[in-house]
Amino acid sequence: MPVRIGRIELTGLTNVYTEDARNLVQQRVPGQSGSVFQDLGREPVTIVMEGILLGDDTQAELEELRQAQMKTTPMSFAADAIAGADLTDVLIADFQVKQLAGHESRFSFFLRVKEYLEPPAAADAGVAAVDDAVADDAASWAEGSVAAAGVLQDPGSLMEAVDANPELLGHLTPDELGSVVNQGKDSLTGKNFSSLLGSLGKVNPAAIGGFVDSLRSAGSLGEFIQKLASEGVSLLEMVKGIDFGAALSLIKAIAGAGDFLAKLQRVAKEATELGGVLADFDPLGPFKDLEAKP
């Protein structure tokens, strides 16, 4: 029966057998006959092979087997049938070689291999990954907290800080963010306001309602709607693709107010231009031109 171990095919086998065992611990009961056996599971299957190794590459094959035995390297194992054993990987436990007299490249061998099973994962195998994730979260939280503190001290740095680390918005209450925006509103554009709403929607959409209420209470919400209208900023286009949840209706209301005000401003501008044209219009002008002709 051909057997392959690693890259080596053992075709000269003369004897093959397996050794199967279970790990049973006998527990005697004092003062009573009989015993209780505790089954600790089966032992790895052992296969013993004896035979002759011959061919042109016997020296290289012997060296490969020796190295695998010395380094306890798992080797792939395949056989048509060996006493019902179904193994895929083995470790070489014992390897003995004897060169046959009168033959330079012919050796008899004794090979004992044991079934190789992947060692069980350690009980704390996943702890390192969890610790790394916790450390990353802690570092991110600390960075966002420091950035938020910096914005509270210097409201003018809000947009630059948000562009660098949007997560800082999660460390500001709606009232704190509203206060920062109110203090720096003169330097904020309508585009800045749209970008800020978009970033807040990604980090903490639940805070949008409180933030807008804070601006409304301070009387600055209308100013930002005016800036949206004057700059022609489409709020809904700026925040497209962001899930605002329950705050979406509020965003639409702000966008609608800005669009309405922009249209109203265009109408007012066109009416002003029309008024100028009408003021300069003289309905008797054409007749005056006729009277002036000889």
Side-chain angles (χ1 to χ4, degrees), residues 9 38 98 172 226-227:
E9 186 170 351
Q38 182 180 5
K98 181 188 299 184
L172 296 172
Q226 175 69 39
K227 290 182 178 182

Side-chain angles (χ1 to χ4, degrees), residues 2-291:
V3 173
R4 180 178 293 275
I5 178 169
R7 301 182 300 105
I8 304 168
E9 186 170 351
L10 304 175
T11 57
L13 291 173
T14 59
N15 188 23
V16 180
Y17 61 91
T18 63
E19 298 175 349
D20 297 87
R22 297 198 70 82
N23 190 355
L24 299 176
V25 177
Q26 184 179 9
Q27 305 289 347
R28 296 186 179 275
V29 181
Q32 297 185 15
S33 60
S35 302
V36 176
F37 288 90
Q38 182 180 5
D39 183 4
L40 301 182
R42 72 173 179 85
E43 296 288 342
V45 175
T46 299
I47 299 178
V48 178
M49 293 169 281
E50 298 176 297
I52 297 175
L53 195 63
L54 50 95
D56 296 333
D57 298 327
T58 52
Q59 294 289 348
E61 292 173 350
L62 287 173
E63 185 61 24
E64 182 176 350
L65 292 173
R66 284 196 185 97
Q67 292 297 321
Q69 192 268 340
M70 290 174 58
K71 298 179 180 180
T72 321
T73 305
M75 301 186 73
S76 60
F77 183 87
D80 289 344
I82 297 183
D86 185 14
L87 310 180
T88 56
D89 295 283
V90 295
L91 294 172
I92 299 177
D94 190 7
F95 183 44
Q96 302 175 28
V97 180
K98 181 188 299 184
Q99 186 171 12
L100 298 179
H103 299 278
E104 182 179 355
S105 299
R106 184 172 296 183
F107 303 85
S108 66
F109 67 88
F110 174 88
L111 187 62
R112 185 191 301 272
V113 300
K114 287 184 176 292
E115 177 185 13
Y116 173 75
L117 299 173
E118 290 287 344
D124 59 347
V127 173
V130 173
D131 288 344
D132 290 342
V134 170
D136 291 342
D137 289 344
S140 177
W141 186 92
E143 183 179 353
S145 181
V146 171
V151 166
L152 289 173
Q153 294 178 358
D154 181 13
S157 66
L158 174 64
M159 294 311 302
E160 182 179 354
V162 170
D163 290 341
N165 183 13
E167 295 299 323
L168 72 87
L169 294 175
H171 297 266
L172 296 172
T173 67
D175 288 339
E176 288 175 337
L177 181 58
S179 175
V180 170
V181 170
N182 280 319
Q183 293 179 61
K185 64 182 179 181
D186 293 338
S187 62
L188 294 176
T189 65
K191 187 175 182 180
N192 291 150
F193 181 66
S194 298
S195 176
L196 185 62
L197 285 176
S199 298
L200 187 59
K202 294 178 181 178
V203 175
N204 186 15
I208 289 179
F211 169 58
V212 172
D213 284 342
S214 177
L215 295 181
R216 184 185 294 112
S217 299
S220 57
L221 180 61
E223 296 182 37
F224 284 109
I225 293 177
Q226 175 69 39
K227 290 182 178 182
L228 291 174
S230 300
E231 298 172 23
V233 176
S234 175
L235 177 58
L236 292 181
E237 286 296 322
M238 289 282 292
V239 299
K240 181 183 292 185
I242 300 174
D243 183 9
F244 287 96
L248 180 60
S249 58
L250 183 58
I251 297 297
K252 289 182 176 180
I254 295 174
D259 292 342
F260 174 77
L261 186 57
K263 293 177 181 179
L264 189 63
Q265 290 175 341
R266 285 196 297 271
V267 170
K269 181 180 178 182
E270 292 173 0
T272 301
E273 293 174 351
L274 179 60
V277 171
L278 292 176
D280 296 335
F281 177 67
D282 184 1
L284 298 179
F287 300 100
K288 293 179 180 179
D289 292 339
L290 291 175
E291 293 176 356

